[in-house]
Amino acid sequence: MTDAAMKLVVTGASGRMGKTLIRIINETEGAALRAAIEREGSDALGKDAGELAGTGHLGVPLTDDPLKAFLDADGVIDFTTPSASVEFAGLAAQARIVHVIGTTGFSEDDETQIKAAARHARIIKSGNMSLGVNLLGVLVEQAAAALSAKGWDIEVLEMHHRHKVDAPSGTALLLGDAAAKGRGVDLNDKAVKVRDGHAGPREEGTIGFATLRGGSVVGEHSVYLAGEGETVTLSHKATDRSIFARGGIQAALWGQDKKPGLYSMLDVLGLSH
Ligand SMILES: NC(=O)C1=CN([C@@H]2O[C@H](COP(=O)(O)OP(=O)(O)OC[C@H]3O[C@@H](n4cnc5c(N)ncnc54)[C@H](OP(=O)(O)O)[C@@H]3O)[C@@H](O)[C@H]2O)C=CC1
Ligand SMILES: O=C(O)C1=N[C@H](C(=O)O)C[C@H](O)C1
């Protein structure tokens, strides 16, 4: 770690992604863990971040004072809950730092508040921080555009571990959005997220979602483009959370010299058009 290293805060530090981030930041040149935040009342407060993450003692105890931590840092990497991330976006704006948001499951109102915070913070937000999924999104957009003729139906299937609380996943929505973009439509007008009982035949032009939950599955996504007599399937399988952590850290480093604004992982990876 050098003096020039980007000083990072990890929120949700005792969560699945928080611990992965602490481990990967510790291995990343140019990044340094400055503080680790957990929610008020958490049993993890006061514990050492490195000991929690299994990397050995780092001398960074978990605290519940995000503003103090943000004012003394260059960036925050945040995989927590929608309400916490909205609060952190406001604090990142006050501290004028980079805010990487990996959290999923936001409401429209949450999204509006994050956009407002991006007037002062550099916010990079994505439902999936991995290179593979963001590349998949580009391919889905191309396939949906190429197969936009009548008769091709698009369905997104996802599976995650039993602890996941939001559905469809942020990645499934990202892929659905890419498909909608390829077709030149708005996903909000075309998404079918639930089918139950006598749902009737499939409505032409809709984009369907199906959700599976179970075991320890890190994240699996498939987009089906189903035509008459043939189906094209585009898939991604995550087997290790470190891909999300590496992407989150890459996003934070990328954001250092950017103007305030709301960016996506496509911007970070040079895949936006
Ligand atoms: N974009 C991407 O690439 C990825 C996104 N995710 C998303 O990241 C989020 C977190 O996932 P995961 O790590 O599996 O979930 P976890 O539940 O394991 O971790 C979330 C952590 O945030 C903590 N937390 C909740 N509220 C606050 C708060 N106000 N201040 C500080 N910490 C808080 C929780 O504490 P406690 O448990 O005590 O409430 C918990 O430790 C989810 O939305 C998930 O979908 C996950 C992987 C990749
Ligand atoms: O909750 C998770 O675990 C994951 N969440 C993200 C999502 O909602 O798509 C990304 C990844 O698939 C893991």
Side-chain angles (χ1 to χ4, degrees), residues 12 15-17 38-39 79-80 88 102 104 126-129 164:
R16 280 174 289 275
M17 278 306 299
E38 254 304 334
R39 62 169 176 76
F79 290 70
T80 53
F88 295 147
T104 57
S126 177
N128 196 304
M129 297 285 171
K164 185 160 179 63

Side-chain angles (χ1 to χ4, degrees), residues 13-233:
S14 71
R16 280 174 289 275
M17 278 306 299
K19 286 190 280 199
T20 310
L21 279 160
I22 290 163
R23 184 168 56 79
I24 304 291
I25 287 171
N26 197 41
E27 296 169 2
T28 304
E29 208 171 313
L33 183 72
R34 187 65 165 197
I37 303 296
E38 254 304 334
R39 62 169 176 76
E40 240 179 276
S42 165
D43 290 345
L45 292 175
K47 292 187 180 158
D48 182 74
E51 281 167 14
L52 263 180
T55 63
H57 192 81
L58 289 175
V60 179
L62 267 63
T63 77
D64 60 1
D65 190 346
L67 183 58
K68 186 167 179 242
F70 291 9
L71 288 169
D72 185 35
D74 303 312
V76 50
I77 309 186
D78 171 25
F79 290 70
T80 53
T81 65
S83 59
S85 291
V86 167
E87 184 196 335
F88 295 147
L91 300 180
Q94 276 186 58
R96 302 286 198 268
I97 60 171
V98 176
H99 184 193
V100 175
I101 304 182
T103 307
T104 57
F106 292 105
S107 67
E108 263 183 49
D109 183 54
D110 294 334
E111 303 277 4
T112 305
Q113 293 188 60
I114 289 171
K115 245 183 228 160
R119 287 201 292 265
H120 300 294
R122 286 152 280 161
I123 298 183
I124 300 122
K125 177 172 169 292
S126 177
N128 196 304
M129 297 285 171
S130 75
L131 170 60
V133 158
N134 283 280
L135 176 63
L136 180 67
V138 174
L139 299 176
V140 166
E141 185 181 336
Q142 283 175 4
L147 302 176
S148 62
K150 243 177 147 176
W152 286 86
D153 300 323
I154 302 181
E155 296 279 314
V156 184
L157 173 68
E158 57 114 331
M159 180 158 189
H160 283 88
H161 53 93
R162 63 167 70 96
H163 306 286
K164 185 160 179 63
V165 292
D166 56 311
S169 69
T171 310
L173 294 171
L174 177 160
L175 295 171
D177 204 44
K181 209 170 159 199
R183 278 188 167 170
V185 297
D186 186 335
L187 182 63
N188 291 322
D189 302 333
K190 298 292 177 188
V192 174
K193 295 180 182 163
V194 181
R195 292 187 185 110
D196 187 26
H198 190 85
R202 194 181 193 286
E203 192 185 326
E204 175 82 38
T206 52
I207 297 174
F209 291 85
T211 299
L212 307 181
R213 294 285 177 265
S216 60
V217 173
V218 174
E220 297 181 9
H221 294 86
S222 291
V223 179
Y224 293 83
L225 297 106
E228 286 299 326
E230 57 182 332
T231 300
V232 177
T233 313

